[in-house]
Amino acid sequence: FKNNLAGTVACLSIVHTLLIKLLVKPVDCLLLSHGAELIKKRQLEKDELRPLYMDFQATTPMDPRVLDAMLPYQVNYYGNPHSRTHAYGWESETAMETARKQQVADLIGADPREIIFTSGATESNNMALKGVARFYQTKKRHIITTQTEHKCVLDSCRVLEAEGFSITYLPVQKNGLLDLELLEASVRPETSLVSVMTVNNEIGVKQPIKEIGKICRSKGIFFHTDAAQAVGKIPINVSDWNVDLMSISGHKIYGPKGVGALYVRRRPRVRLEPLQSGGGQERGLRSGTVPTPLVVGLGAACSIAQQEMEYDHHRVSMLANRLVQKIMSEIPEVVMNGDPEQRYPGCINLSFAYVEGESLLMALKDVALSSGSACTSASLEPSYVLRAIGADEDLAHSSIRFGIGRFTTEEEVDYTAEKCIQQVQRLREMSPLWEMVQEGIDLKSIKWTQH
Amino acid sequence: MMAASTGSQVISLYRMMLKESKKFPSYNYRTYALRRVRDAFRANRKVEDPKTVERLIQEGQQSLALIQRQVSIGSMFKTQKMVVE
């Protein structure tokens, strides 16, 4: 056994996981030895039933109202919104400006001139971090962020580190929230930017953005927040929150994929170095033709979100409570990750002790779920977000994220809860670990990784 | 009191919207449309102001046309049924 593993696996923690997997389900290990991908890709057969969708943090289906707004611009109104000499251009430009003003800007309480259309929140985050850091680099070369940010923020910071900037990655508390005193203590005279996400994509916790904004403003530091998971779901006002830069994504709010926006404050003015060079569109910050249909879709998604926010929030909360209560009342030793109060209810991250998360995902093949962010899903590494909130290694391995949204039904929630309960019980019955716990053995006293 | 003709106009609009919503081939869009139409009419049940009623009827008619368009598009790209259907 040892010899077999030694070639393919170096890290001890992986040995630990493999050991659990071996104990739980020997067959899985055959798949494992070939790579990190655990769940096999497979297309649905023609007459097969579709799994129900419970992964609204990864992406959301487009609202039919959004598609309806977009289609005319995919069919007849194909003009370049930057063409200034003919009707094709003018009608596209009008549509783009309506989306900017009446829809995106209104939803977050901004001025339309502060909205820059991008290809999505990843681009917005890259633009904000690299743009601000590089523009002010002669005087200020320090950036503060948290360990639970999205990968694109952390990776942008890595790039900046390589360029000579110093970055502070703040730890978060056990509940996933940032400690404001720690933030204040980490500020240096040469700090140019603080970047903290509004709602976490894996555990759904809502950071104290207003308080962070106040701290940053009082110290004259720019404040960026990645609000991809928050816009349209919770009320946002960039003036109340003192936010200087905010990233928005289209496909997380029932809009199209491939479009997003970056809010850049005008007073006090935030300046950034553009990433892309070219025709100087979007006030020179983001060259490239603005994709009218996508932007119209983003606008429609924002205006629907504003109109439906209360209705959706009420319903999502109700469904989330229903799911959590059903699961928790039926199976013991389920932990909800992240703060129980300061959260967006539609993102529920549960750890099922003594059950391996990927095995559970595999068993729940009728439900489209994920163990965390789509970028790292189905890999052996436990989520860095869960590790940052101090979850035990084994609990981090046994987590599943349930995403509830506008189109989720009671039936889907009940089906998911029922299947989940059934499969957790089944997997636990098969698990020698669970058996040992039932016999009263403290698993922490066993040294798994002893060689 | 709402004028009798307006009342019957509202009821027929409501029925039409439910009838069309039922035609969404996608389980999630169908259930959402039905739920949303019912809840919207219920929420505005007590509205008396004729101008508001008129505005709401107009919005309803636009939504009805939207539902009809989206039902046709959905029918062109049908998928498998969902496990809960």
Side-chain angles (χ1 to χ4, degrees):
Chain A
F1 168 71
K2 247 190 216 166
N3 288 343
N4 244 342
L5 286 177
T8 46
V9 186
C11 169
L12 283 183
S13 69
I14 295 183
V15 173
H16 177 191
T17 343
L18 276 174
L19 198 57
I20 295 176
K21 278 189 217 274
L22 252 184
L23 293 172
V24 176
K25 234 183 165 192
V27 196
D28 301 349
C29 275
L30 296 173
L31 287 173
L32 285 176
S33 58
H34 295 295
E37 285 283 317
L38 213 127
I39 293 168
K40 250 188 158 171
K41 192 168 102 182
R42 187 179 68 83
Q43 307 292 329
L44 285 186
E45 301 293 331
K46 221 177 155 190
D47 50 354
E48 206 178 340
L49 293 174
R50 281 181 88 72
L52 50 87
Y53 192 73
M54 293 287 272
D55 200 9
F56 278 75
Q57 273 69 46
T59 190
T60 53
M62 266 223 283
D63 192 296
R65 288 166 287 190
V66 172
L67 181 62
D68 201 72
M70 285 170 70
L71 278 174
Y73 296 90
Q74 297 276 35
V75 181
N76 287 323
Y77 308 138
Y78 50 80
N80 184 325
H82 314 292
S83 292
R84 285 291 165 80
T85 51
H86 49 69
Y88 288 81
W90 302 327
E91 62 202 10
S92 289
E93 192 196 14
T94 307
M96 173 180 80
E97 292 309 328
T98 306
R100 194 192 306 277
K101 182 178 187 304
Q102 283 160 20
Q103 300 174 325
V104 184
D106 277 8
L107 179 62
I108 60 166
D111 183 279
R113 288 169 295 182
E114 298 173 316
I115 304 294
I116 307 294
F117 289 122
T118 65
S119 65
T122 291
E123 189 192 335
S124 300
N125 286 336
N126 269 273
M127 240 174 101
L129 282 144
K130 294 176 186 165
V132 169
R134 287 174 187 160
F135 191 92
Y136 297 96
Q137 63 182 330
T138 45
K139 284 183 184 150
K140 295 184 162 187
R141 299 184 65 85
H142 177 232
I143 287 167
I144 300 176
T145 186
T146 74
Q147 291 173 357
T148 56
E149 292 301 302
H150 191 268
K151 252 201 141 101
C152 64
V153 169
L154 297 176
D155 266 19
S156 296
C157 287
R158 292 271 177 240
V159 169
L160 290 169
E161 244 172 332
E163 289 174 20
F165 290 89
S166 78
I167 317 275
T168 304
Y169 301 93
L170 291 178
V172 292
Q173 304 166 82
K174 281 238 162 212
N175 58 4
L177 296 176
L178 179 61
D179 179 358
L180 295 172
E181 280 171 25
L182 181 64
L183 171 68
E184 260 191 291
S186 312
V187 170
R188 302 183 202 160
E190 72 271 19
T191 307
S192 63
L193 183 72
V194 169
S195 178
V196 179
M197 72 203 314
T198 315
V199 169
N200 186 273
N201 55 318
E202 289 197 29
I203 53 176
V205 297
K206 214 158 58 179
Q207 297 289 355
I209 296 300
K210 202 171 172 176
E211 287 74 19
I212 299 172
K214 207 183 274 170
I215 294 173
C216 293
R217 182 59 58 88
S218 72
K219 296 187 186 287
I221 302 166
F222 293 128
F223 176 35
H224 165 252
T225 183
D226 172 6
Q229 297 286 352
V231 168
K233 291 171 185 152
I234 57 169
I236 289 180
N237 189 299
V238 286
S239 312
D240 286 355
W241 286 7
N242 284 324
V243 166
D244 297 306
L245 300 119
M246 180 185 278
S247 304
I248 299 171
S249 170
H251 75 109
K252 309 281 190 199
I253 55 169
Y254 312 96
K257 293 166 184 57
V259 69
L262 178 66
Y263 160 80
V264 184
R265 182 175 288 283
R266 278 167 70 87
R267 263 185 221 125
R269 189 163 176 206
V270 182
R271 307 193 60 185
L272 33 142
E273 211 179 275
L275 293 180
Q276 261 171 229
S277 324
Q281 291 89 346
E282 301 296 276
R283 295 183 23 236
L285 292 175
R286 208 273 186 182
S287 285
T289 301
V290 171
T292 323
L294 297 181
V295 158
V296 167
L298 174 65
C302 284
S303 103
I304 295 163
Q306 190 161 27
Q307 183 191 310
E308 302 284 342
M309 199 181 291
E310 232 186 281
Y311 181 88
D312 281 353
H313 199 273
H314 178 77
R315 204 180 141 74
V316 165
S317 309
M318 183 270 285
L319 291 175
N321 284 338
R322 189 177 172 127
L323 180 73
V324 173
Q325 246 147 40
K326 269 191 199 266
I327 292 177
M328 295 251 196
S329 65
E330 288 288 325
I331 31 183
E333 307 221 34
V334 181
V335 181
M336 187 160 161
N337 295 306
D339 193 88
E341 299 299 322
Q342 289 306 310
R343 58 167 35 262
Y344 166 65
C347 177
I348 306 156
N349 194 309
L350 299 179
S351 286
F352 301 90
Y354 316 112
V355 172
E356 212 281 315
E358 309 296 341
S359 305
L360 184 54
L361 282 182
M362 237 184 290
L364 291 170
K365 60 179 187 331
D366 281 349
V367 187
L369 284 164
S370 155
S371 55
S373 144
C375 324
T376 50
S377 68
S379 74
L380 276 180
E381 279 288 294
S383 143
Y384 64 87
V385 175
L386 292 177
R387 269 187 306 191
I389 63 169
D392 280 345
E393 183 87 352
D394 36 351
L395 269 183
H397 272 293
S398 60
S399 81
I400 288 197
R401 178 182 70 181
F402 299 87
I404 291 171
R406 186 179 285 162
F407 301 105
T408 311
T409 66
E410 281 96 339
E411 282 164 297
E412 289 177 306
V413 166
D414 293 352
Y415 186 94
T416 306
E418 197 185 297
K419 286 275 157 161
C420 190
I421 294 163
Q422 215 178 6
Q423 294 303 331
V424 168
Q425 282 168 343
R426 187 181 69 88
L427 288 169
R428 279 184 180 170
E429 270 161 32
M430 288 163 66
S431 155
L433 294 179
W434 178 247
E435 205 175 308
M436 286 157 88
V437 173
Q438 297 305 304
E439 284 163 7
I441 300 170
D442 181 11
L443 291 184
K444 294 230 158 62
S445 65
I446 304 167
K447 285 186 183 137
W448 294 104
T449 46
Q450 208 171 40
H451 280 264
Chain B
M1 266 306 280
M2 215 184 279
S5 63
T6 319
S8 63
Q9 205 185 342
V10 172
I11 289 169
S12 101
L13 178 64
Y14 179 57
R15 287 207 181 118
M16 275 298 279
M17 286 180 85
L18 290 183
K19 193 181 149 208
E20 292 302 314
S21 298
K22 274 186 200 147
K23 294 184 189 163
F24 266 114
S26 143
Y27 163 79
N28 290 92
Y29 291 161
R30 183 172 65 247
T31 50
Y32 175 76
L34 287 167
R35 183 169 66 240
R36 195 70 195 90
V37 168
R38 286 198 184 105
D39 288 343
F41 276 84
R42 198 167 298 150
N44 292 316
R45 198 183 244 164
K46 302 253 162 71
V47 176
E48 298 254 331
D49 174 48
K51 273 206 177 133
T52 317
V53 172
E54 199 189 329
R55 181 177 57 80
L56 288 170
I57 289 177
Q58 243 172 39
E59 280 175 18
Q61 278 160 349
Q62 280 165 12
S63 299
L64 174 63
L66 189 152
I67 293 169
Q68 286 167 330
R69 286 193 297 271
Q70 291 303 311
V71 163
S72 331
I73 290 172
S75 320
M76 293 175 214
F77 305 100
K78 271 190 204 157
T79 62
Q80 303 94 332
K81 289 211 165 200
M82 304 269 288
V83 285
V84 285
E85 276 181 272

Short mmCIF file of all heavy atoms in Angstrom, two decimals, chain A residues 73 81 174 191 198 223 243 267 316 353 382 384:
data_model
loop_
_atom_site.label_atom_id
_atom_site.label_comp_id
_atom_site.label_asym_id
_atom_site.label_seq_id
_atom_site.Cartn_x
_atom_site.Cartn_y
_atom_site.Cartn_z
N TYR A 73 -30.97 42.62 -29.57
CA TYR A 73 -29.60 43.07 -29.85
C TYR A 73 -28.72 41.94 -30.38
O TYR A 73 -27.59 42.16 -30.78
CB TYR A 73 -29.01 43.73 -28.59
CG TYR A 73 -29.80 44.96 -28.24
CD1 TYR A 73 -30.91 44.87 -27.40
CD2 TYR A 73 -29.53 46.18 -28.86
CE1 TYR A 73 -31.69 45.99 -27.14
CE2 TYR A 73 -30.31 47.29 -28.60
CZ TYR A 73 -31.40 47.19 -27.75
OH TYR A 73 -32.17 48.30 -27.52
N PRO A 81 -21.78 50.04 -30.55
CA PRO A 81 -22.25 51.17 -29.73
C PRO A 81 -21.31 52.37 -29.77
O PRO A 81 -21.67 53.46 -29.32
CB PRO A 81 -22.32 50.57 -28.33
CG PRO A 81 -21.43 49.39 -28.33
CD PRO A 81 -21.48 48.85 -29.73
N LYS A 174 -13.11 32.56 13.25
CA LYS A 174 -13.73 31.23 13.09
C LYS A 174 -15.06 31.29 12.34
O LYS A 174 -15.47 30.34 11.69
CB LYS A 174 -13.96 30.58 14.46
CG LYS A 174 -12.71 29.97 15.05
CD LYS A 174 -12.94 28.49 15.32
CE LYS A 174 -11.62 27.77 15.48
NZ LYS A 174 -11.66 26.40 15.01
N THR A 191 -0.06 52.00 2.60
CA THR A 191 -1.15 51.15 2.11
C THR A 191 -1.98 51.92 1.08
O THR A 191 -2.45 53.01 1.36
CB THR A 191 -2.06 50.71 3.27
OG1 THR A 191 -1.25 50.12 4.29
CG2 THR A 191 -3.10 49.70 2.81
N THR A 198 -17.69 41.12 -0.42
CA THR A 198 -18.91 41.41 0.33
C THR A 198 -19.51 40.11 0.88
O THR A 198 -19.65 39.95 2.07
CB THR A 198 -19.94 42.13 -0.56
OG1 THR A 198 -19.27 43.15 -1.28
CG2 THR A 198 -21.04 42.74 0.26
N PHE A 223 -10.86 51.50 -1.07
CA PHE A 223 -11.48 50.26 -0.62
C PHE A 223 -12.19 49.61 -1.80
O PHE A 223 -13.09 50.17 -2.41
CB PHE A 223 -12.47 50.57 0.52
CG PHE A 223 -13.24 49.37 0.99
CD1 PHE A 223 -12.67 48.10 1.02
CD2 PHE A 223 -14.56 49.51 1.42
CE1 PHE A 223 -13.39 47.00 1.45
CE2 PHE A 223 -15.28 48.41 1.87
CZ PHE A 223 -14.69 47.16 1.87
N VAL A 243 -17.60 52.64 -0.41
CA VAL A 243 -16.83 51.74 -1.27
C VAL A 243 -16.27 52.56 -2.42
O VAL A 243 -16.97 53.40 -2.98
CB VAL A 243 -17.74 50.61 -1.79
CG1 VAL A 243 -17.10 49.87 -2.94
CG2 VAL A 243 -18.10 49.66 -0.67
N ARG A 267 -15.73 60.78 -6.93
CA ARG A 267 -15.44 61.75 -5.89
C ARG A 267 -15.40 61.10 -4.53
O ARG A 267 -16.44 60.63 -4.10
CB ARG A 267 -16.50 62.85 -5.91
CG ARG A 267 -15.96 64.00 -6.70
CD ARG A 267 -16.85 65.21 -6.70
NE ARG A 267 -16.80 65.74 -8.08
CZ ARG A 267 -17.85 65.95 -8.82
NH1 ARG A 267 -19.05 65.70 -8.36
NH2 ARG A 267 -17.75 66.41 -10.04
N VAL A 316 -35.86 32.79 -0.72
CA VAL A 316 -34.60 32.06 -0.55
C VAL A 316 -34.36 31.74 0.93
O VAL A 316 -33.95 30.64 1.28
CB VAL A 316 -33.43 32.87 -1.16
CG1 VAL A 316 -32.08 32.35 -0.70
CG2 VAL A 316 -33.50 32.86 -2.69
N ALA A 353 -19.68 15.34 9.29
CA ALA A 353 -18.55 14.66 9.90
C ALA A 353 -18.54 13.16 9.55
O ALA A 353 -19.60 12.54 9.46
CB ALA A 353 -18.61 14.84 11.41
N PRO A 382 -8.53 20.36 0.17
CA PRO A 382 -9.67 20.93 0.86
C PRO A 382 -9.72 22.42 0.58
O PRO A 382 -8.70 23.02 0.27
CB PRO A 382 -9.40 20.64 2.33
CG PRO A 382 -7.93 20.49 2.42
CD PRO A 382 -7.46 19.97 1.11
N TYR A 384 -9.52 26.25 0.60
CA TYR A 384 -8.68 27.15 1.40
C TYR A 384 -9.54 28.07 2.26
O TYR A 384 -9.08 28.56 3.28
CB TYR A 384 -7.71 27.94 0.52
CG TYR A 384 -8.36 28.90 -0.48
CD1 TYR A 384 -8.69 30.19 -0.11
CD2 TYR A 384 -8.63 28.50 -1.77
CE1 TYR A 384 -9.28 31.07 -1.00
CE2 TYR A 384 -9.23 29.36 -2.67
CZ TYR A 384 -9.55 30.65 -2.29
OH TYR A 384 -10.14 31.50 -3.18
#
